[in-house]
Amino acid sequence: MAAWARAVRGLLLDISGVLYDSGGEGGGVPIAGSAEAVRRIKASGLKLQFCTNETQATREKFVKKLQGLGFDISVAEVTAPAPAACRLLKERGLRPHLLVHDDLVPEFADIDKTNPNCVVIGDAAENFSYANLNEAFRVLIGLEKPVLISLGKGRYYKETDGLKLDVGAYMKALEYACDVEAEVVGKPAKAFFESALAEMGVPPEQAIMIGDDIVSDVGGAQQCGMRAVQVRTGKYRECTACPWPVTS
């Protein structure tokens, strides 16, 4: 075994596309062997933190769904963008206009949303209508110093019925229209990985990130000083015309 592998003390584990594919009547389908893999990791003595860009539900509701799918997971073990965004909003006195999924809105219950001076965008799914995007655009374009906060920047993700556009596509539209660069709270932001590592109590050189996204999971972790592994599930797909994998 390589020396670096012997020094590993903890794992950061992505959820969507790694543990399960979301969607369908039950809210998702576990990927074969994933629940057992989580149990074996915990039994090994390695520290484990789930590091997700999930923004279609509160952490509590999300964890409850995963528990129902057979996963040994608690709210305290999940690092997600919405709580991090709330901390940032409070620290900077920002009042957001929310363009997020309806089920995520309760995460922002304690945040002042009157007279917005920024926009927070997440994976809003069906809420990504022209009218809602245009409303967010009008808030931003009307600010002297527009602030756009995005709960991730993924291009797409996988559900049980196929690939779906992720928040990054809509974030880019607002960036272009308003001539503003979004502040990303979530993977691949370095601060987000650092927060997950701090919660786990492990330095980056002693941790490994496991995910299905070559940019947000693998690239983000590597820029934080971690090693990373890409799984061949979720959004992973191979290009038949070239020898390297194609993911987003």
Side-chain angles (χ1 to χ4, degrees):
M1 182 183 294
W4 68 263
R6 289 193 293 269
V8 172
R9 293 174 47 217
L11 298 178
L12 294 182
L13 193 59
D14 184 28
I15 297 178
S16 180
V18 176
L19 299 185
Y20 88 121
D21 288 324
S22 60
E25 293 183 3
V29 176
I31 292 170
S34 58
E36 175 61 22
V38 171
R39 287 192 288 271
R40 290 179 65 181
I41 291 170
K42 290 190 171 185
S44 73
L46 288 171
K47 293 188 176 183
L48 177 63
Q49 189 75 11
F50 299 89
C51 190
T52 179
N53 270 3
E54 170 63 39
T55 57
Q56 287 196 11
T58 63
R59 278 193 304 173
E60 288 75 12
K61 186 173 181 179
F62 184 48
V63 166
K64 186 176 181 179
K65 178 176 75 171
L66 292 170
Q67 290 171 341
L69 294 175
F71 292 101
D72 178 8
I73 184 172
S74 67
V75 173
E77 293 174 314
V78 177
T79 302
C86 287
R87 290 193 295 271
L88 183 151
L89 293 168
K90 290 179 179 178
E91 289 169 1
R92 292 168 55 180
L94 293 172
R95 303 179 304 277
H97 168 83
L98 298 177
L99 179 50
V100 300
H101 196 282
D102 289 341
D103 289 343
L104 190 70
V105 173
E107 290 274 20
F108 298 87
D110 296 333
I111 301 295
D112 181 5
K113 295 179 281 291
T114 60
N115 190 24
N117 57 3
C118 73
V119 168
V120 171
I121 183 174
D123 182 9
E126 286 77 10
N127 284 346
F128 278 136
S129 65
Y130 174 81
N132 289 342
L133 278 166
N134 196 54
E135 187 177 2
F137 160 74
R138 286 179 172 178
V139 171
L140 287 171
I141 207 70
L143 296 172
E144 183 179 351
K145 295 182 179 180
V147 176
L148 174 61
I149 297 171
S150 185
L151 307 181
K153 61 182 294 185
R155 296 176 181 175
Y156 58 86
Y157 59 94
K158 184 184 178 185
E159 287 197 344
T160 53
D161 62 348
L163 299 177
K164 301 291 181 72
L165 278 175
D166 205 348
V167 62
Y170 303 96
M171 177 198 81
K172 286 295 183 181
L174 290 175
E175 283 186 328
Y176 177 69
C178 301
D179 194 22
V180 62
E181 182 176 353
E183 301 178 36
V184 177
V185 179
K187 297 176 293 184
K190 183 178 179 180
F192 189 69
F193 281 105
E194 290 174 340
S195 176
L197 289 168
E199 292 179 47
M200 190 167 59
V202 174
E205 65 272 14
Q206 295 181 358
I208 296 177
M209 174 70 202
I210 300 174
D212 67 325
D213 191 311
I214 196 69
V215 176
S216 292
D217 295 329
V218 175
Q222 290 175 336
Q223 290 190 28
C224 190
M226 300 169 57
R227 293 180 183 270
V229 175
Q230 183 184 18
V231 296
R232 296 191 177 194
T233 54
K235 68 169 64 175
Y236 177 91
R237 59 195 177 97
E238 292 187 356
C239 175
T240 57
C242 55
W244 52 83
V246 178
T247 61
S248 161

